[in-house]
Amino acid sequence: MPGRDVSSAGREVLSYYEGIDEAGRLVRGAGPLEFARMQELLGRFLPAAPGVVLDVGGGPGRYACWLAGLGYAVHLIDPVERHVRQAREASLAQPEHPLAGARVGDARSLDQADGSADAVLLMGPLYHLTDRSDRLTALREAYRVLKPGGVVIAKAVNRFASLLSALRRSHIDDPEFAPILLRDLADGQHRGLPDGFRYFTTAFFHRAEELEGEVVAAGFDQPDLYAVQGPALAAADLDERMSDAVKRAQLLDLIRSVEREPTLLGMSKHFVAAATK
């Protein structure tokens, strides 16, 4: 996520999200699985509505608008102007349950007062802040604005996500992808190709223990870690399963049964840490 000083890496990320259809990502391909699982996890760990939720790095507002519909006062903050416009438009489309606010902002420097939020969602910033010091700053800002007993939901991309994706999509046969994959595996520092859109953009991919350690270093209680997709992305018929109510329920049940299994966290494209102030 770009910050107060927009570095070249920050400009790459901004350019990437200004040029792709992030608003449609959660409704196609593996997106519906990710969305369904995050709905489940958020429903489990957020305090009951009404309450104040900050969706930091909330993108075009898919989660924020869903939570507003449940009765939360949701403030969306995102560094991408296009995302903020889209979130405002989505909010206008549900006039009975609008967002409490949507504005351009930085996860490392929030405008909210100390102890003013019941929950903070960091479901994007941590994998676009490539320096650990910046990730800790974002987590400490979340800690600052939370009320005592408030919850942070911090989402990360798995260190091995590129490898799993490459095996499914035969990217391992692309010579341009080989150095990207090797660096991802070596240190988690992901860099897309210079064209700006192939193979994602500038990011950091966590090991589970790294995310856990950062959350604790920011002052939170020991977090619980949960797989988002789990091993389900290996399903050859994922689209069919997610569009069939019975098969969808079966798949979600299976993911839930192994969501905290440490040996399987590395098979999930994303995992989250849920922690309390």
Side-chain angles (χ1 to χ4, degrees):
M1 174 188 264
R4 297 152 294 187
D5 299 319
V6 182
S7 63
S8 60
R11 287 191 291 272
E12 289 170 9
V13 175
L14 282 173
S15 177
Y16 177 81
Y17 282 109
E18 290 285 0
I20 68 160
D21 179 23
E22 178 66 11
R25 184 180 66 83
L26 294 174
V27 298
R28 63 176 181 267
L33 172 63
E34 179 183 341
F35 187 63
R37 278 289 294 157
M38 287 308 304
Q39 284 181 304
E40 187 173 285
L41 292 168
L42 292 173
R44 196 184 308 172
F45 297 114
L46 292 184
V52 176
V53 177
L54 305 186
D55 189 359
V56 184
R62 184 82 190 281
Y63 291 107
C65 287
W66 169 68
L67 289 169
L70 297 179
Y72 293 97
V74 185
H75 298 263
L76 180 141
I77 300 103
D78 197 271
V80 182
E81 292 184 3
R82 180 189 185 195
H83 288 172
V84 173
R85 291 196 304 270
Q86 291 171 326
R88 289 171 178 166
E89 291 168 1
S91 177
L92 289 172
Q94 52 180 60
E96 295 183 359
H97 300 284
L99 297 178
R103 63 185 180 279
V104 174
D106 189 314
R108 296 169 295 173
S109 182
L110 300 175
D111 293 336
Q112 278 70 23
D114 296 0
S116 60
D118 296 285
V120 176
L121 312 182
L122 293 172
M123 302 197 302
L126 296 189
Y127 49 83
H128 287 311
L129 292 170
T130 56
D131 292 336
R132 185 175 187 270
S133 61
D134 284 333
R135 296 193 296 274
L136 289 179
T137 298
L139 284 162
R140 287 169 179 150
E141 272 291 89
Y143 187 92
R144 178 185 66 78
V145 303
L146 278 170
K147 300 174 183 178
V151 176
V152 66
I153 305 294
K155 184 180 178 188
V157 177
N158 167 26
R159 174 67 54 85
F160 309 106
S162 290
L163 175 60
L164 297 171
S165 177
L167 291 170
R168 286 197 309 274
R169 301 178 184 179
S170 298
H171 292 162
I172 54 173
D173 297 320
D174 181 352
E176 291 186 287
F177 185 68
I180 296 174
L181 176 57
L182 290 175
R183 184 173 184 185
D184 288 355
L185 295 175
D187 62 13
Q189 293 290 346
H190 180 88
R191 302 294 183 269
L193 292 176
D195 62 19
F197 295 100
R198 281 192 297 161
Y199 300 132
F200 200 39
T201 185
T202 299
F204 178 73
F205 295 171
H206 281 81
R207 290 178 178 271
E209 61 269 23
E210 289 173 326
L211 178 62
E212 183 178 40
E214 289 170 3
V215 171
V216 171
F220 288 96
D221 291 345
Q222 187 71 24
D224 293 321
L225 297 183
Y226 298 85
V228 177
Q229 300 91 345
L233 292 180
D237 57 349
L238 181 60
D239 289 349
E240 176 189 345
R241 287 191 172 277
M242 290 302 295
S243 62
D244 180 287
V246 174
K247 291 182 177 181
R248 172 191 173 103
Q250 178 196 43
L251 184 63
L252 292 174
D253 282 344
L254 288 171
I255 297 171
R256 197 178 304 116
S257 71
V258 297
E259 66 184 5
R260 298 200 62 196
E261 174 54 56
T263 58
L264 287 178
L265 278 178
M267 289 193 67
S268 186
K269 181 179 180 181
H270 299 95
F271 44 77
V272 298
T276 303
K277 175 176 177 177

